[in-house]
């Protein structure tokens, strides 16, 4: 595919090695950064976005694109990889409500510094918290899914679990999936479209599921009770700590978190579609129905979220075992998510970079359509 990132070598298959668990603890660096920013105020509030967007992108350029794959059948002990996920909800809870306490109590933080601090925290909630929640909601354990719901409630976006598992993975790459970004669609149009569409599709999916087992939408088995209850609980905490100002600050970080989630959604399937086979059925989801990125630093920060091609091909595969693909197997993003997220906010630049790649994807994987 022309102008795409070229792999220096073929992706190596079935290497019996995993990246050390500690390497995926990179997101934990945000915790002391946010605390330091709240204490110092001023320009220190920029440290978190500088680290997440600029430094990680620089390391993506400096480090070679990874070409090694763990053996997907490896029966390794993944306890420490899971411990990273299990620990984060406590850290995120502490960070959010520490920030709300700080902006409600510390006199050295101006109103604008307070808003920017919670925006920085929202970036962390979205980039780390929702990414970790995404991994947890794919696990079979009810405890893991509870942790996912707790993390999503800190963004007031609990319905994402229903929408993601029951709608997105089933209909990705089709008109039935709201979060598959359409070709030429700007991020801003996409964002305004998906906010109501995702909630509606999640609600309808749960209503249909409950109807099939003879339950009403008001039944306690409807997870929307959990989604809403957790969200109200966190809003109550915000009010207790900081009054209405605290609630406003919580809403600021939640909005920024959701913004980051939907920017990632926009990137992951932009312009890619699955073929309609007839009778309302689509071809099975393949690795080439998602954009892939093998960039080293950003994959460590986002616990391999960028290996999205394999995630959709094998949704049950845990993040340390996700596989990398080359140009012949999946379309490649030119950069890691941090830079791609910044780019999607400039529609003309985004189309200039991504539209030719979509056309090349079509020629490569669907030559009969080009």
């Amino acid at each position: 595919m022309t102008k795409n990132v070229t792999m220096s070598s073929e992706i190596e298959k079935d290497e019996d090695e995993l990246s050390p668990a500690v390497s995926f603890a990179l997101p934990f660096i945000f915790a002391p950064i946010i605390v330091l920013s709240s204490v110092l105020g001023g320009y220190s509030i920029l440290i978190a976005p500088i680290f997440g967007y600029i430094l990680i992108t620089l390391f993506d350029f400096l480090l070679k694109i990874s070409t090694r794959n763990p053996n997907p059948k490896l029966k390794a002990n993944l306890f420490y990889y899971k411990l990273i996920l299990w620990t984060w909800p406590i850290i995120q809870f502490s960070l959010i409500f520490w920030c709300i306490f700080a902006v409600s109590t510390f006199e050295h933080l101006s109103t604008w510094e307070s808003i920017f601090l919670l925006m920085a925290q929202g970036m962390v909630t979205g980039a780390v918290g929702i990414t970790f929640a995404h991994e947890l909601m794919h696990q079979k354990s009810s405890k893991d899914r509870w942790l996912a719901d707790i993390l999503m409630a800190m963004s007031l976006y609990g319905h994402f679990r229903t929408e993601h598992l029951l709608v997105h993975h089933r209909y990705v790459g089709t008109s039935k999936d709201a979060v598959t970004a359409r070709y030429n669609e700007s991020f801003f149009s996409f964002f305004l479209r998906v906010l109501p569409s995702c909630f509606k599709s999640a609600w309808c999916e749960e209503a249909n599921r409950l109807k099939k087992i003879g339950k009403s939408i008001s039944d306690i088995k409807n997870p929307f009770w959990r989604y809403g209850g957790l969200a109200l609980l966190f809003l109550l905490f915000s009010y207790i700590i900081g009054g209405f100002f605290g609630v406003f600050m919580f809403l600021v970080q939640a909005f920024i978190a959701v913004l980051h989630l939907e920017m990632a959604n926009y990137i992951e399937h932009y312009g890619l579609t699955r073929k309609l086979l007839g009778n309302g059925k689509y071809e099975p989801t393949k690795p080439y129905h998602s954009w892939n990125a093998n960039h080293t630093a950003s994959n460590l920060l986002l616990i391999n979220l960028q290996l999205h091609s394999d995630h959709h091909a094998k949704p049950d595969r845990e993040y340390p075992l996700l596989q990398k693909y080359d140009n012949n197997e999946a379309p490649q993003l030119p950069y890691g998510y941090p830079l791609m997220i910044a780019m999607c906010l400039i529609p003309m630049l985004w189309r200039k970079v991504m539209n030719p790649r979509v056309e090349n994807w079509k020629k490569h994987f669907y030559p009969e359509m080009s």
Side-chain angles (χ1 to χ4, degrees), residues 18 21 74-84 86 318-321:
L18 286 173
L74 191 65
K75 301 298 181 182
N77 182 356
L78 300 180
F79 172 79
Y80 290 107
Y81 298 88
K82 293 179 179 179
L83 185 62
I84 292 170
W86 297 335
E318 293 169 304
Y319 77 89
L321 297 172

Side-chain angles (χ1 to χ4, degrees), residues 2-14:
T2 60
K3 295 185 180 180
N4 253 353
V5 173
T6 303
M7 299 297 166
S8 59
S9 62
E10 292 274 329
I11 298 295
E12 298 177 29
K13 303 294 184 181
D14 297 339

Side-chain angles (χ1 to χ4, degrees), residues 56-67:
I56 292 298
T57 297
L58 286 175
F59 276 107
D60 270 345
F61 281 114
L62 291 172
L63 299 173
K64 290 183 178 179
I65 287 178
S66 176
T67 61

Side-chain angles (χ1 to χ4, degrees), residues 185-242:
E185 182 178 32
S186 74
F187 168 72
F188 303 102
S189 297
F190 170 83
F191 187 61
L192 293 175
R193 178 173 63 79
V194 298
L195 285 180
S197 297
C198 287
F199 185 89
K200 181 180 177 181
S201 62
W203 179 266
C204 292
E205 192 65 34
E206 291 297 349
N208 291 334
R209 183 183 65 83
L210 288 166
K211 186 177 180 180
K212 288 178 182 178
I213 59 175
K215 304 289 185 181
S216 72
I217 196 70
S218 61
D219 191 272
I220 194 65
K221 289 185 179 293
N222 185 348
F224 273 78
W225 287 109
R226 184 193 299 184
Y227 304 155
L230 287 170
L232 288 173
L233 183 63
F234 290 132
L235 288 170
L236 178 61
F237 284 158
S238 302
Y239 180 78
I240 292 171
I241 294 171

